[in-house]
Amino acid sequence: MQSGTLCSLGLEVCKNRMKCISELLPCIPEIWEFRLLLHLVTSMWQEEETMLTPTYLASSIFCVRYTTILLMTEEVKSGKEPLIEFYSSYRELFEFFCNNTTIHGAIRLVCSRNNRMKTAFWLVLFLACFGLMYWQFGLLFGQYFSYPVSINVNVNSGRLLFPAVTVCTLNPYRYHPILADLEELDKETQRTLYDLYKYNVTGVQGRVPQNRRRREAREPLPHPLVRIPVGEGLHREVRSADTGDNEEMQVKRKNWNIGFKLCNETGNDCIYQTYSSGVDAIREWYRFHYINILARVPKNDNVSKEVLENFVFACRFNEEYCMQDGTYAQFHHAIYGNCYTFNFNRSDSDTWSSSMPGIKNGLTLVLRTEQHDYIPLLSTVAGARVLIHGHKEQAFMDDNGFNIQPGVETSIGMKKEVVSRLGGDYSDCSEDGSDVDVKDLFNSEYTQQVCVRSCFQAKMVDRCGCAYAFYPLPDGVEYCDYKKHKSWGYCYYKLIKEFSQHELGCFAKCRKPCLLTEYQLNAGYSRWPTKVSESWVFHTLSQSNFTDRNGIAKLNIYFEEMNFKTIQESPTIIMVTLLSLLGSQWSLWFGSSVLSVVEMGELVFDVIAIATIILLHRYHSQQNQAMEETGRTETADPSFGPREERNAPIPRSVPSDSQLRVVADITPPPAYETLDLNSLGGGSSRSASIRSHTSQYTSWES
């Protein structure tokens, strides 16, 4: 039969069976052409009861081949893009990126590739812009991670909470259990003044020899004042105050200093506390012994209420009496004496507040400032000590306190300021002190001074074995007394020196509070009472003959205005600002957007993917090569028969299943002009097999 007749017959068969084959191939993607042929012939034989002749068999072979080519060609024509596409080379990837990206200037690297000078120019320009942009990025990120802050100042107005006010008498209280020790200290001080400066205290000069003879039987006070030549070493021999030298030592004498000697436990290391001013030397020496005596006061010995109330003659706030119980707290300071704190540590509902400025809407106190019971060597000023602070803060009179004069009306105008700091990475501040590694001994609101003094007391206990008398006593510790702690003075002054030089680390541990309330003060003074009114004022204030104006003082504390200033820190660069600045730089150098950044990320991903595929391909190639070399070296297993039988060739006329599988997997689709069976000659084993079968079927028919 001629080839045209065979093609016509094959096309007729395909026309009738095309629908079946088209539906079958998508359902069984692994089907082979041989199985498809078998299915087609079987269905034709069963349904049409057609005799299986070589003509029909050849037609079926042609139909299967034609259908397969048609379906494969249809897939190629559809041109469907795969889900994931990788490029065959980096050059192809780069060209695709430059041709399709939204980054300005990138396409110039491709379109001007025929002109190497332009390409080089645009490449240098592109890389320069890229480098400058990322240099700016580095500056922006460096600024962002330095956590800069901006200061915002706001002025608000409204009802203001009144601060706490602490006033002290400037007259240390003489506790009854230590009266004898204080008298002994006073006598020793009077004798030292006479020996050093020939100063005669009233009645002292005539009794000095007797006092000196009486003290011979008693143990003298340790650490006496001595005269130290200027420029001499600390460990040189010094002259004592009672050496009998007739040379007078004047207060302003330039060739001598005054001081006292302090040694450690073993006595092999000593220091001298020296002062160029004799007044300072005597006061510090007296203060040192006074602190030592305070350690002997029993813990339960408190100041009586009657003594404290004698200090305040009158108290009014917002024109109302303010001496009720609960409106004030009382304590005793070793140097500044008896103290009152008004409006301290009260609830928010009970805390004093001002709704109007002026003296009448503030606090007015009339204080007693008599000096007849002062300790003259400890208190050298007259009047009262005043401190304005937060109503939950501890009062430290040494820090921000000020003195008021007797016989004067002092008016203090306040302006409130609230400072709010940013914590975390922006500043080293503490919200409430819970994150500070220092135990609070004052049990009050956290402030830096509370922390610093608690830290110093802890260092004092750790290094000296006892506590400083001016600060709260920790549990299980006692105050320093040289009768029990012989060298505490040596340890204390060494510690004070390290503290002032910031060597103890207390200021590093104790951070500033994040929220701080401060009061700016303005003071005004006037004579009070006047001469024409002092008689009835004195008579009204006291039922006794109180006629000395130096024994009384008046204090007014008020808000000057109801406006208060808020100083608040805020981040200079937040994340939104950073992104805006980065976007501005990106647009400046490349004129692009966020999507351009995504394109850059996609490029990087593609580069990594191609590199990974290349590495995996090389790895698998090496693995396959190693397996092939290993297979060649393996010996034959005799259990599977002779080598000749295992290597016997398979006849070409009987194609095996494995051969058909290989053909179906690797044979590319032929062109349409090869549909003629006479043109099926070629180099593939599959084509040769088809030709051999076709020739056999033709001979059978003839």
Side-chain angles (χ1 to χ4, degrees), residues 299-327:
K299 296 181 181 180
N300 55 358
D301 192 350
N302 297 321
V303 183
S304 61
K305 184 177 180 180
E306 291 78 13
V307 174
L308 287 174
E309 287 184 344
N310 290 336
F311 172 55
V312 179
F313 285 129
C315 173
R316 296 186 68 83
F317 179 77
N318 281 343
E319 297 296 327
E320 295 182 0
Y321 180 70
C322 58
M323 287 291 291
Q324 302 94 340
D325 292 337
T327 59

Side-chain angles (χ1 to χ4, degrees), residues 242-436:
D242 54 357
T243 56
D245 191 354
N246 293 327
E247 181 184 359
E248 293 186 2
M249 178 77 177
Q250 300 299 329
V251 175
K252 296 183 179 180
R253 190 178 180 89
K254 296 183 178 180
N255 58 340
W256 295 98
N257 283 334
I258 302 295
F260 52 98
K261 181 180 179 181
L262 298 167
C263 298
N264 60 359
E265 287 285 347
T266 59
N268 56 4
D269 187 18
C270 298
I271 61 173
Y272 287 93
Q273 285 296 116
T274 59
Y275 303 88
S276 58
S277 170
V279 175
D280 294 338
I282 292 174
R283 286 193 61 199
E284 184 62 27
W285 178 81
Y286 188 94
R287 181 176 178 272
F288 170 72
H289 287 283
Y290 179 72
I291 293 173
N292 196 81
I293 293 173
L294 285 179
R296 305 166 193 170
V297 178
K299 296 181 181 180
N300 55 358
D301 192 350
N302 297 321
V303 183
S304 61
K305 184 177 180 180
E306 291 78 13
V307 174
L308 287 174
E309 287 184 344
N310 290 336
F311 172 55
V312 179
F313 285 129
C315 173
R316 296 186 68 83
F317 179 77
N318 281 343
E319 297 296 327
E320 295 182 0
Y321 180 70
C322 58
M323 287 291 291
Q324 302 94 340
D325 292 337
T327 59
Y328 61 90
Q330 53 188 355
F331 65 95
H332 180 262
H333 193 277
I335 300 299
Y336 298 108
N338 305 327
C339 300
Y340 270 174
T341 300
F342 296 91
N343 196 34
F344 176 70
N345 201 18
R346 308 181 71 188
S347 62
D348 294 339
S349 59
D350 296 332
T351 302
W352 294 347
S353 61
S354 295
S355 55
M356 294 290 292
I359 294 178
K360 292 185 178 181
N361 299 286
L363 176 65
T364 300
L365 297 174
V366 179
L367 307 175
R368 178 185 178 184
T369 58
E370 290 182 342
Q371 305 172 31
H372 64 271
D373 56 351
Y374 275 32
I375 300 178
L377 296 172
L378 200 61
S379 300
T380 58
V381 295
R385 185 79 172 178
V386 182
L387 175 65
I388 299 174
H389 54 94
H391 60 274
K392 291 186 178 181
E393 296 179 1
Q394 182 68 28
F396 295 110
M397 309 305 295
D398 293 328
D399 294 343
N400 301 319
F402 57 92
N403 297 332
I404 61 174
Q405 303 177 23
V408 173
E409 180 178 2
T410 304
S411 298
I412 305 297
M414 301 183 298
K415 292 182 179 180
K416 183 178 179 180
E417 288 186 0
V418 179
V419 179
S420 178
R421 300 184 179 92
L422 288 175
D425 296 324
Y426 292 94
S427 66
D428 190 20
C429 69
S430 177
E431 294 289 344
D432 54 1
S434 59
D435 53 348
V436 177

Side-chain angles (χ1 to χ4, degrees), residues 508-567:
K509 292 181 180 179
C510 299
R511 306 196 296 269
K512 294 181 179 180
C514 295
L515 185 63
L516 179 65
T517 301
E518 297 178 340
Y519 298 93
Q520 303 297 327
L521 307 179
N522 295 318
Y525 306 95
S526 61
R527 180 186 176 93
W528 185 84
T530 61
K531 290 185 178 181
V532 296
S533 61
E534 62 182 13
S535 58
W536 71 267
V537 170
F538 292 153
H539 181 77
T540 304
L541 293 176
S542 177
Q543 298 298 325
S544 59
N545 295 326
F546 187 75
T547 58
D548 187 6
R549 63 179 303 106
N550 291 328
I552 192 173
K554 188 175 182 180
L555 175 65
N556 301 315
I557 301 176
Y558 58 93
F559 282 111
E560 290 184 347
E561 56 185 22
M562 302 312 296
N563 297 329
F564 65 95
K565 188 184 299 183
T566 301
I567 303 175

